[in-house]
Amino acid sequence: MREYFKKLYTSKATDFYKEVEVNLKNKQKMFIVTSNPETFTYGEKLANFNQLLLDEKTTLLPDGIGIVKAARMLGFDVKERITGIDLATKLLEICNENKYKLCLLGAKEEVLQSLIKVINCKYPNINLGTCLNGYTDNKDAFFNKISKEDIDVCLVALGIPAQEELIYKHLDQFKKGIFVGVGGSFDVLSGTKKRAPKIVQKLNIEWLYRIIKEPKRIKRFYNNNVKFIFKVKKNKNL
Ligand code: UDP
């Protein structure tokens, strides 16, 4: 587990966004995993997930407050959370400013269509490539198709671990491009679901807001976050 923490990005979000912009300009490839305690737990359980987290091509961002707190307990100087939704929003802005090509995979068809409308309206300079909802059987075909589209950014919103596993499976087909698993971000960006108010985000209790909105998340939260923090607390030599 410590290996994952060692790889965590520790600087500020603004620094990371600058790095992404530079990599886009230089046509570098990036695979970004926005990490929550669940992410690291999957890494410990699944060999393939462990491999993708530790791959040198993979960047691990501290998305959840659970990861930030645990990292600090272990002595890593993580400055702040960098969430999937904030990164996705930033990438839309960067794509709009530079007329980059963006592809989308994930979420329900109606959510995806709403997001496409939002993009066309709010980010009109984005060059939108192939977009596919997340409930189609042949998701591999999506990657085979976009590998011929000279894409700049690919956002995949299927939830963990499917989104990361799928990106990793196809990563070698691409010479450039920023690939990110963004969880439930399409639901928020499309306007289908509301993100927690700013004050809730600032207080780092967005997880509580999501549980109140969707009580079925509580079991997932307990299993991944509460147990995780206790594990780190008990065993600082992880
Ligand atoms: N999803 C999908 N296909 C599936 C299962 C899930 O496209 O087979 C989408 C789902 O519609 C949602 C996202 O994946 O938009 C996962 O959202 P969730 O809030 O669970 O992710 P989190 O942000 O908690 O990781």
Side-chain angles (χ1 to χ4, degrees), residues 198-226:
K198 277 266 177 307
I199 176 78
V200 174
Q201 293 175 36
K202 271 223 145 45
L203 290 170
N204 284 322
I205 50 168
E206 219 170 343
W207 54 271
L208 182 60
Y209 178 88
R210 289 188 91 179
I211 288 174
I212 291 167
K213 287 271 171 191
E214 295 171 69
K216 66 177 187 309
R217 282 185 180 271
I218 193 139
K219 194 165 167 225
R220 187 173 154 189
F221 178 80
Y222 179 77
N223 280 335
N224 291 295
N225 290 264
V226 180

Side-chain angles (χ1 to χ4, degrees), residues 34 36 38 63 105-108 111 132-136 139 156-160 162-163 182-188 193 210 214 217 220:
T34 59
N36 289 296
E38 206 171 357
D63 178 329
L105 170 65
K108 294 188 183 135
V111 172
L132 184 70
N133 75 60
Y135 294 84
T136 328
K139 299 184 184 77
V156 182
L158 299 170
I160 179 178
Q163 57 195 19
V182 291
S185 298
F186 290 5
D187 300 284
V188 176
K193 276 188 193 172
R210 289 188 91 179
E214 295 171 69
R217 282 185 180 271
R220 187 173 154 189

Side-chain angles (χ1 to χ4, degrees), residues 37 50 65 81 88 102 130 149 164 183 202 237:
N50 176 58
I65 188 63
R81 293 175 68 200
L102 169 74
T130 298
E149 288 182 15
E164 284 81 14
K202 271 223 145 45
N237 311 317

